Amino acid sequence: MKEKKDNIFRRLYYGLWKENPILVLCLGLCPTLAVSTTAAYALTMGAFTTAVLILTNVFVSALKKIIPKEQRLLGYLLLAASFTVAGQLFLKAYFPDFSEALGIFIPLTAVNGVIYDRAERCAYVSNPGLALFDGIGTGIGYTFIITLLGAIREIIAFGTIFGIRLIPADYTISFTALAPGACIILAFIMALANKIRGGHRS
Amino acid sequence: MKINKKLWFLIIPIFCIALITGSFFYTRGIIKANEAAKANGVIADVFPDAVRYSEATYNKRFLALYLEEQGYETTDVVVDHVVYARNEQNAVKGLIVYVNCYKKFGGLIQMAVGIQNNGTINGYTILDISDAKGLESKVKDDDFKNQFIGKNVSAFVLSDEPHNDAEIEAPNGARDASGTVVNGINTAIITLEFIDESMGGLLE
């Protein structure tokens, strides 16, 4: 069978849907479940992770010729951690409320599995252009799912979405704001995605 | 141009150090300004009608012992520091008590409580809270805060059906956090008593 040529549209499609980091690869679930109590927090976390992911992908790809194969993980770690620290400082400066709200999960982005997976499977073996679009696709896919999860949890737990009240507070179920509720809702989203996809791709 | 791969130990760390250092110096001023604004915002939030503020001096060890006598161990609450809120004549109108409160099932709530000389609660601000993201907003809501503001009681308690000023209704899903906030406010009331006594009734 003729192997399909890797291109930017394929990378975008794979990142957004076919190899979605949360729904298919199940990567980065810790911050996904912990931070997505509201849509705003989830969107901020998704955007931050996307930025770190894109920068790490591009720099790993650009520097792959000088990073030895045996020490490539160390290279990924150095770059991801540096971009995370720099991003955290900018977030603290320009969005202090979100920085405070997201707390420890911002610096934990440095060890998010999504970043290392994309660096290993795409950035290290592709040119910077492909790595860029792979980061964009994967980041948007990650951000979309985490924001969807956050929106559903916020509506059920608080009756609001992005702070706008939809349901009276007396009719909310706080359980979904906690970790078990997050797992259950994510499971439903994954099941729905698998149904649309026509079964899980092993 | 062929690059010696051994140089990667130099190139990438130097790049990372430069990136982090550059980001730090670029954002340092902005972050400091944000923190100062937040500190001023806290004070203005809990005691808006005071014109100047000064740090209170008191014996922290004696205050801790006094709190223990009232039933608040250091594993429950710790008073970090106290600020006098003063009027134009420089007389003390009340206190802003910064309290670290430990939750029953783990976690910490840092809060600042504004309390007038006569024991009336002016308000409080949550400085930091370790709770499920989103749930912590329930103890920051005005609905919960307004149960304390303007009240003068010896101690607040949580109640499912409040019948008087001292009884506070906990929001759904945040009973532990709201109980901790109540502890913090009661600590501020006790701190006012302690400072008033230790200052020989200096407070008006």
Side-chain angles (χ1 to χ4, degrees):
Chain A
M1 191 170 106
K2 194 179 177 182
E3 206 172 280
K4 288 182 186 171
K5 198 179 170 191
D6 210 3
N7 57 45
I8 59 173
F9 299 106
R10 195 155 180 260
R11 287 283 106 226
L12 281 172
Y13 169 64
Y14 269 56
L16 280 166
W17 178 246
K18 199 157 184 204
E19 285 184 358
N20 185 285
I22 298 176
L23 298 179
V24 179
L25 305 179
C26 294
L27 294 170
L29 289 183
C30 176
T32 301
L33 296 172
V35 163
S36 60
T37 49
T38 68
Y41 291 162
L43 183 61
T44 308
M45 187 69 202
F48 185 84
T49 306
T50 301
V52 174
L53 173 63
I54 290 171
L55 287 167
T56 307
N57 261 19
V58 168
F59 275 79
V60 163
S61 182
L63 297 171
K64 63 179 184 278
K65 283 199 165 70
I66 65 166
I67 301 176
K69 196 175 176 187
E70 300 79 19
Q71 284 123 29
R72 64 191 187 281
L73 281 176
L74 183 55
Y76 305 160
L77 179 62
L78 275 171
L79 289 167
S82 303
F83 289 124
T84 300
V85 170
Q88 184 185 7
L89 288 169
F90 279 94
L91 195 70
K92 213 172 169 183
Y94 293 105
F95 300 98
D97 293 338
F98 283 107
S99 171
E100 205 176 303
L102 295 175
I104 191 68
F105 294 100
I106 292 291
L108 277 179
T109 305
V111 291
N112 192 321
V114 178
I115 295 172
Y116 295 89
D117 176 71
R118 298 328 300 162
E120 175 72 359
R121 288 174 44 186
C122 177
Y124 195 72
V125 295
S126 311
N127 60 55
L130 267 179
L132 170 68
F133 281 93
D134 180 77
I136 291 172
T138 305
I140 292 175
Y142 178 85
T143 304
F144 178 73
I145 298 302
I146 193 176
T147 307
L148 176 66
L149 178 62
I152 295 171
R153 289 176 75 188
E154 187 180 355
I155 289 171
I156 299 174
F158 305 109
T160 60
I161 184 165
F162 290 105
I164 301 165
R165 183 153 294 284
L166 297 178
I167 301 170
D170 292 338
Y171 298 99
T172 57
I173 306 170
S174 298
F175 172 71
T176 56
L178 301 172
C183 291
I184 291 169
I185 294 173
L186 183 59
F188 276 112
I189 296 174
M190 281 182 171
L192 180 63
N194 286 340
K195 179 75 180 167
I196 296 170
R197 200 180 287 113
H200 190 264
R201 185 178 71 89
S202 58
Chain B
M1 182 181 81
K2 205 171 179 183
I3 303 169
N4 188 342
K5 279 200 176 181
K6 289 179 187 170
L7 279 179
W8 94 272
F9 280 114
L10 207 59
I11 296 172
I12 293 180
I14 287 174
F15 167 75
C16 294
I17 290 168
L19 174 70
I20 293 171
T21 309
S23 304
F24 172 75
F25 283 109
Y26 184 83
T27 58
R28 185 172 57 166
I30 304 169
I31 290 171
K32 255 190 179 169
N34 286 345
E35 284 169 1
K38 186 183 173 188
N40 292 338
V42 164
I43 287 175
D45 209 18
V46 299
F47 233 113
D49 47 350
V51 294
R52 61 181 67 87
Y53 307 91
S54 62
E55 199 75 20
T57 50
Y58 58 95
N59 192 312
K60 287 192 174 185
R61 176 80 186 119
F62 286 167
L63 174 59
L65 288 171
Y66 190 77
L67 284 166
E68 269 184 49
E69 283 172 19
Q70 311 294 324
Y72 291 99
E73 306 285 338
T74 50
T75 48
D76 299 322
V77 290
V78 173
V79 175
D80 190 68
H81 64 281
V82 179
V83 171
Y84 287 134
R86 298 178 182 273
N87 60 15
E88 283 171 0
Q89 289 76 37
N90 211 35
V92 177
K93 283 174 63 80
L95 307 179
I96 301 169
V97 184
Y98 290 79
V99 193
N100 295 338
C101 314
Y102 298 95
K103 292 163 66 186
K104 203 165 34 168
F105 299 108
L108 172 69
I109 297 179
Q110 292 177 306
M111 54 192 291
V113 183
I115 181 167
Q116 296 175 25
N117 283 348
N118 60 8
T120 304
I121 302 295
N122 248 19
Y124 71 85
T125 294
I126 303 289
L127 303 173
D128 192 20
I129 180 168
S130 60
D131 205 336
K133 300 280 174 265
L135 270 185
E136 83 273 13
S137 63
K138 293 196 173 188
V139 294
K140 296 178 183 176
D141 277 350
D142 285 341
D143 286 343
F144 183 69
K145 275 189 183 181
N146 288 341
Q147 295 187 80
F148 299 96
I149 293 173
K151 290 185 181 174
N152 186 345
V153 300
S154 56
F156 290 98
V157 290
L158 282 183
S159 171
D160 291 331
E161 285 182 18
H163 295 294
N164 55 51
D165 279 355
E167 292 181 351
I168 304 294
E169 189 178 3
N172 184 24
R175 195 168 182 88
D176 188 22
S178 50
T180 308
V181 168
V182 165
N183 282 352
I185 293 178
N186 288 343
T187 301
I189 295 170
I190 296 168
T191 304
L192 176 73
E193 286 169 15
F194 172 80
I195 288 184
D196 193 30
E197 272 182 38
S198 64
M199 298 293 283
L202 190 67
L203 300 176
E204 288 172 357

